[in-house]
Amino acid sequence: MSEPDLDRFTSRRSTVYGAEGVVATSQPLASQAGISVLRDGGNAFDAAVATAAALNVVEPTSTGLGGDVFALYKTADGDVGAMRSCGGAPADATLENVREAVAAESDEDIDPEDAEMPMTGAQAVTVPGTARGWELTAEEFGNKGLGELLQPAIRYATEGYPVSEVVSAQWQHAEELFTDEHAREAFLFDGEAPSTGQEVTLPRLGESLETIAEEGADAFYEGEIAEQIADEVQSKGGFMTTEDLANFEPELLDPVSTTYNGAEIYELPPNNQGLIALEALNVAEEIGAGEYDLDSPERVHYFAEAMKVAFADGHHYITDPEYEDHPPLGSKEWAEERADLIGESANHDVSFGVEGSNAEDADTVLLCVADSEGNVVSFINSRFAGFGSGLVAGDTGIALQNRGSSFSLDEDHPNVIEPGKRPFHTLVPAIADFAADDPEKEDWAAFGVMGGFMQPQGHLQVISNIVDYDLPIQAALDLPRWRYREDGSLAVEERIDADDQLLTKLTRKGHEVQVLYPGLFGGAQIVRNEDGTLSGATEPRKDGNAQGY
């Protein structure tokens, strides 16, 4: 028997293994919900829906029924696909109407043509996609019905659960957002956010979940819940109607992909950031970024410059594809041309590509599941920023997303608001075939990194850590990260060792370097099926938890 390679174990925690299934999430109670479904005969898709619904309750600071949901998956039959369930702007949300509404709501006397999209409030609410996305996933790919899959979430909401440390801190940070009576009644307890370890119930949300469990997702989009959503938004000056909600449908679509040093990476197409991740991988491969030592400044420099170019292109072109076309950002030919912009020093003629999007540091939840049948699923569910718009629909307990804050009120901007249009979306679940060039081997992973514009940057780094440097999946997530910021600076985690003068050397290459705390570099999850061996990893940037059985 060979000796274990202990030098490979450099993480703060070990990789989790399971014989029948693995669930990786940002919250232990949600992981338990997914594992319970797998134990009860559900597959990875069933577990993904049950876990997402549980997160809706036990991590309500980051996700919920009032947001959107996306998935990337590989089925046991070998099919690779994507699910997109995100709504657009209301039918009456014309540029003129929204400008006038924003100007009227402003505390300052501004011309409607000078109005900017607000971060919160009624104008930021787009049609939520979550409920029908959950239902579509269960019906198309699962073994169980939506009603059964919602039961763990319903129990947490009605019987209660203890609030974990990170969730408590996020909840307290959001207290000032709850200026409306409906929001305060739904999510505050004696007027305050819960403390760590406090047991709470969310009865209003539990009742809504029970209604959906009994009547299906239509209860959200066409019943009393829909009426309360529309009434809430309209009462605050917005344009959402029950017709906007009833007309929404999720989509099953083909992902976009590219190869990177022998692996094939699959992402969501526009209106999401997936093409940004693919372009960055292609440019990085073209310039040989992964050939430098793991701890070298050259590695960070060339990967970061590849990322910057991809952001400049993606933020210029990506929007709802039904409204505007884009060039082949994910192609090798495009990357070969764009690689000419990268040299030994930072190129300050290439900008990040966007300002005022409200998307840089948004947070969310992502979960990943693998089962023994061969299914792997990356599932991401979000309201965009914490509790979203600050609006809670009547007495439903459903906090409504603020995804519409990514729209622009500049008529020349590709993401200018238009009726029915879906905004530029940061959410990008992903899957990877690490044995794409070896037909005798199976090595699939579902993964993702959370946090606004950190998401594609995290994808690039995690994939390179595994493909270029052969790191185990837990170590690949634990490695300190870097990220480009909207202001053009290159941020690095404070955990990066300053003794090797990495930061000084990056500064000499022309980067404006700043050191930030780990919470701004995204939590991450990954599950892997390597020739039948199931493993999972997560990281403690949130309350990360992977469980197997």
Side-chain angles (χ1 to χ4, degrees):
M1 180 180 297
S2 61
E3 291 294 323
D5 185 1
L6 297 181
D7 288 337
R8 284 168 57 82
F9 185 76
T10 57
S11 303
R12 292 167 287 173
R13 57 174 68 184
S14 60
T15 300
V16 170
Y17 292 89
E20 300 297 327
V22 177
V23 179
T25 81
S26 56
Q27 221 288 333
L29 296 177
S31 297
Q32 291 177 23
I35 288 293
S36 70
V37 168
L38 289 172
R39 287 185 181 276
D40 197 36
N43 64 15
F45 294 96
D46 294 311
V49 172
T51 303
L55 283 165
N56 175 66
V57 179
V58 301
E59 195 179 328
T61 53
S62 298
T63 185
L65 273 166
D68 292 331
V69 62
F70 302 85
L72 258 291
Y73 57 83
K74 195 277 292 186
T75 69
D77 296 330
D79 295 331
V80 178
M83 187 272 292
R84 176 167 58 201
S85 194
C86 69
D92 291 333
T94 64
L95 178 60
E96 180 180 6
N97 285 346
V98 175
R99 279 176 168 174
E100 291 180 355
V102 171
E105 294 166 10
S106 175
D107 294 333
E108 303 175 6
D109 184 17
I110 62 172
D111 189 308
E113 291 194 2
D114 296 328
E116 296 182 355
M117 203 67 193
M119 182 66 177
T120 59
Q123 307 308 327
V125 181
T126 48
V127 174
T130 292
R132 281 195 169 140
W134 287 351
E135 186 172 70
L136 176 64
T137 302
E139 289 181 347
E140 288 290 326
F141 305 107
N143 298 333
K144 297 178 176 292
L146 179 63
E148 183 177 353
L149 299 177
L150 295 185
Q151 294 310 307
I154 292 170
R155 286 194 295 273
Y156 285 139
T158 58
E159 297 176 13
Y161 67 93
V163 177
S164 58
E165 288 181 282
V166 172
V167 173
S168 173
Q170 292 173 334
W171 214 318
Q172 292 172 34
H173 182 70
E175 272 187 25
E176 61 186 31
L177 181 65
F178 298 139
T179 58
D180 182 76
E181 179 183 1
H182 294 152
R184 296 182 67 82
E185 289 176 349
F187 290 106
L188 297 184
F189 307 88
D190 295 327
E192 296 182 348
S195 58
T196 299
Q198 180 178 339
E199 290 201 18
V200 302
T201 59
L202 298 175
R204 295 184 176 198
L205 180 57
E207 185 175 342
S208 293
L209 286 166
E210 286 180 334
T211 299
I212 296 168
E214 293 170 1
E215 303 176 20
D218 282 352
F220 182 99
Y221 294 93
E222 300 176 22
E224 183 180 346
I225 294 175
E227 293 175 1
Q228 293 197 58
I229 292 172
D231 287 347
E232 186 70 36
V233 174
Q234 290 178 31
S235 71
K236 303 299 190 296
F239 302 100
M240 186 79 67
T241 66
T242 54
E243 288 77 15
D244 292 319
L245 293 159
N247 290 335
F248 172 75
E249 293 293 340
E251 309 164 84
L252 293 176
L253 62 160
D254 293 327
V256 288
S257 71
T258 194
T259 56
Y260 177 76
N261 291 345
E264 185 161 11
I265 316 303
Y266 297 84
E267 298 273 359
L268 278 167
N271 57 320
N272 299 67
Q273 291 188 100
L275 284 178
I276 294 177
L278 297 187
E279 180 178 348
L281 285 164
N282 285 335
V283 173
E285 183 182 59
E286 177 69 23
I287 62 178
E291 298 172 8
Y292 295 94
D293 291 342
L294 184 62
D295 58 355
S296 68
E298 287 79 13
R299 177 186 71 90
V300 176
H301 166 73
Y302 284 110
F303 274 115
E305 287 295 287
M307 194 75 249
K308 182 165 62 176
V309 169
F311 267 129
D313 291 342
H315 287 157
H316 181 74
Y317 291 110
I318 293 176
T319 186
D320 188 329
E322 294 184 10
Y323 288 75
E324 191 165 339
D325 294 329
H326 60 82
L329 302 179
S331 71
K332 298 292 187 184
E333 293 76 18
W334 182 268
E336 184 177 357
E337 179 181 338
R338 302 300 281 167
D340 290 341
L341 295 172
I342 298 174
E344 294 182 1
S345 299
N347 185 346
H348 295 293
D349 292 330
V350 178
S351 69
F352 191 89
V354 65
E355 289 184 4
S357 67
N358 300 316
E360 181 159 53
D361 293 322
D363 204 357
T364 185
V365 299
L366 175 131
L367 63 101
C368 298
V369 188
D371 64 32
S372 58
E373 298 176 23
N375 300 300
V376 295
V377 186
S378 179
F379 208 75
I380 194 165
N381 211 154
S382 177
R383 292 194 212 92
F384 190 31
F387 280 98
S389 63
L391 304 185
V392 172
D395 60 6
T396 66
I398 297 172
L400 302 175
Q401 67 181 351
N402 63 329
R403 181 58 61 175
S405 64
S406 286
F407 280 126
S408 174
L409 298 185
D410 177 355
E411 62 185 6
D412 296 323
H413 195 284
N415 275 302
V416 61
I417 193 168
E418 298 181 60
K421 187 177 183 178
R422 295 166 295 190
F424 173 88
H425 232 293
T426 55
L427 303 185
V428 277
I431 61 173
D433 179 4
F434 290 125
D437 58 355
D438 185 353
E440 302 300 318
K441 184 176 175 60
E442 178 165 325
D443 191 357
W444 286 87
F447 70 99
V449 178
M450 296 166 278
F453 292 146
M454 183 62 214
Q455 294 191 39
Q457 306 195 69
H459 288 203
L460 175 67
Q461 292 170 73
V462 169
I463 288 299
S464 173
N465 291 346
I466 295 171
V467 173
D468 295 326
Y469 303 100
D470 193 32
L471 291 181
I473 57 174
Q474 185 63 61
L477 298 190
D478 282 349
L479 200 69
R481 300 192 190 115
W482 48 265
R483 64 177 297 181
Y484 260 118
R485 307 283 291 171
E486 282 186 14
D487 62 8
S489 64
L490 179 62
V492 298
E493 281 193 59
E494 58 189 16
R495 294 190 295 120
I496 286 182
D497 188 355
D499 291 340
D500 60 5
Q501 297 184 322
L502 175 64
L503 307 188
T504 299
K505 292 174 181 177
L506 287 171
T507 301
R508 289 173 179 168
K509 288 183 176 294
H511 296 282
E512 181 184 337
V513 181
Q514 57 175 319
V515 179
L516 300 177
Y517 72 99
L520 290 176
F521 294 84
Q525 272 72 246
I526 185 169
V527 296
R528 190 172 187 176
N529 183 339
E530 189 172 4
D531 287 331
T533 298
L534 305 180
S535 59
T538 185
E539 58 182 316
R541 284 179 173 88
K542 295 180 105 177
D543 293 316
N545 179 262
Q547 296 183 24
Y549 89 102

